[in-house]
Amino acid sequence: MTVTRFAAPTASVNSWLVSDDTSVIVVDVLRSSAEAAELADAVAASGKQLLAVVVTHGHPDHYIGLRTFAETLP
């Protein structure tokens, strides 16, 4: 298992990718649409199956990117 930090450069928020050889779980999906799209692109480029997205709590900087994240994934 690997835990990778996906640092958002402009919003000071992190997302975390928890993965094994074939699948990934995304923890928090960032605050800006552009950053969420970059995160989705990184997940798609990994070639791993997305198993779940976990939002750790109800602060907007942890979930606002969810729609963009979902719409950007193939």
Side-chain angles (χ1 to χ4, degrees), residues 18-62:
V18 181
S19 62
D20 61 15
D21 292 337
T22 61
S23 56
V24 61
I25 295 171
V26 174
V27 180
D28 294 326
V29 288
L30 308 172
R31 155 172 49 189
S32 88
S33 295
E35 291 168 350
E38 288 179 33
L39 175 62
D41 289 343
V43 170
S46 76
K48 297 178 181 182
Q49 177 186 11
L50 177 64
L51 293 180
V53 173
V54 177
V55 176
T56 58
H57 60 283
H59 291 165
D61 56 333
H62 295 265

